[in-house]
Amino acid sequence: AQKITQTQPGMFVQEKEAVTLDCTYDTSDQSYGLFWYKQPSSGEMIFLIYQGSYDEQNATEGRYSLNFQKARKSANLVISASQLGDSAMYFCAMREGLGGAQKLVFGQGTRLTINP
Amino acid sequence: GAGVSQSPSNKVTEKGKDVELRCDPISGHTALYWYRQSLGQGLEFLIYFQGNSAPDKSGLPSDRFSAERTGGSVSTLTIQRTQQEDSAVYLCASSLESGTGVAETQYFGPGTRLLVL
């Protein structure tokens, strides 16, 4: 079974609009971490935002926020006031178990295109 | 400070040849991970090293794949007798071993694009 599901293969948004990228996850662990990464066409993976399973507040980092709904096992990324430079692949990932070195499980990604 | 570095950035090889990919983690990061990304796909975990513990090799797809980490820093991923299906981008990441929460974030290198002809 997929541990991380990103149901939107592609998204097209007008510049300056807000956009929500969906991510649902599947785990039986109580302790886990959720990450979003951006991958531009150049290929590097850029860390955007983190949400811990015990965090009561939704994470925010500048124009990025994470809409964490624990009961629904969803961790959607919200980008406010989108910019042309936001065009990229976006990956949701999960780390299961306690802190320390743990592998990440990635979704298939969403390709976001910002139109001028 | 310097990020994760990988070499070579691109590698073209013939089927059946061995290749070595190198990763230099962020200074002070004791956990190191290898992932593989096939064209248009998400990342697939291969192996990780955590301090002096035995590495987690659970993601290696076959015994043609191996990795080592010398001196707790630089790592080399070796693919023996390469096959065309090994063509992918191989990404290395590092993190703080004992970090929790956002401190456990993995930071990625630029990757090595491997093409097996």
Side-chain angles (χ1 to χ4, degrees):
Chain A
Q2 289 281 352
K3 293 245 181 185
I4 297 286
T5 302
Q6 294 182 253
T7 57
Q8 306 151 312
M11 290 274 288
F12 294 85
V13 173
Q14 285 298 119
E15 190 180 9
K16 300 181 185 177
E17 290 183 351
V19 57
T20 297
L21 305 182
D22 295 341
C23 173
T24 57
Y25 59 92
D26 181 24
T27 181
S28 56
D29 283 1
Q30 296 301 307
S31 176
Y32 52 89
L34 297 157
F35 301 79
W36 277 92
Y37 286 86
K38 172 184 179 181
Q39 188 177 43
S41 56
S42 53
E44 74 268 31
M45 293 287 287
I46 302 168
F47 165 69
L48 296 178
I49 196 166
Y50 165 86
Q51 180 85 41
S53 58
Y54 295 118
D55 295 340
E56 294 184 352
Q57 303 273 357
N58 284 343
T60 61
E61 287 287 346
R63 294 187 299 112
Y64 304 107
S65 61
L66 202 152
N67 184 359
F68 181 46
Q69 298 187 38
K70 193 169 182 177
R72 299 176 67 178
K73 294 188 176 178
S74 76
N76 298 339
L77 177 69
V78 180
I79 306 174
S80 63
S82 58
Q83 302 171 357
L84 295 178
D86 294 333
S87 294
M89 283 288 288
Y90 289 80
F91 291 96
C92 179
M94 177 173 66
R95 181 272 301 154
E96 291 180 291
L98 298 176
Q102 298 285 348
K103 67 183 180 185
L104 292 178
V105 177
F106 285 82
Q108 292 298 297
T110 295
R111 182 172 298 281
L112 176 63
T113 302
I114 308 298
N115 295 316
Chain B
V4 177
S5 60
Q6 293 186 245
S7 62
S9 53
N10 292 282
K11 177 72 176 178
V12 180
T13 190
E14 293 179 350
K15 177 182 172 181
K17 297 283 181 71
D18 298 351
V19 295
E20 285 189 352
L21 312 179
R22 176 190 166 105
C23 173
D24 208 332
I26 293 172
S27 177
H29 281 189
T30 51
L32 185 149
Y33 314 76
W34 284 98
Y35 295 87
R36 178 170 71 174
Q37 185 177 29
S38 300
L39 187 63
Q41 300 296 311
L43 276 70
E44 170 192 17
F45 166 75
L46 296 176
I47 184 172
Y48 82 75
F49 299 86
Q50 178 180 353
N52 295 320
S53 302
D56 179 345
K57 305 180 182 180
S58 60
L60 294 179
S62 77
D63 57 8
R64 296 186 295 105
F65 288 73
S66 63
E68 63 177 20
R69 189 175 186 192
T70 54
S73 182
V74 172
S75 176
T76 302
L77 177 69
T78 301
I79 309 174
Q80 295 179 309
R81 305 181 302 282
T82 51
Q83 303 294 313
Q84 289 180 331
E85 60 263 28
D86 299 334
S87 296
V89 177
Y90 290 81
L91 289 153
C92 175
S94 70
S95 73
L96 293 169
E97 176 180 338
S98 58
T100 56
V102 69
E104 68 192 282
T105 297
Q106 296 180 23
Y107 294 91
F108 284 81
T112 294
R113 286 156 184 76
L114 175 65
L115 176 62
V116 181
L117 300 176

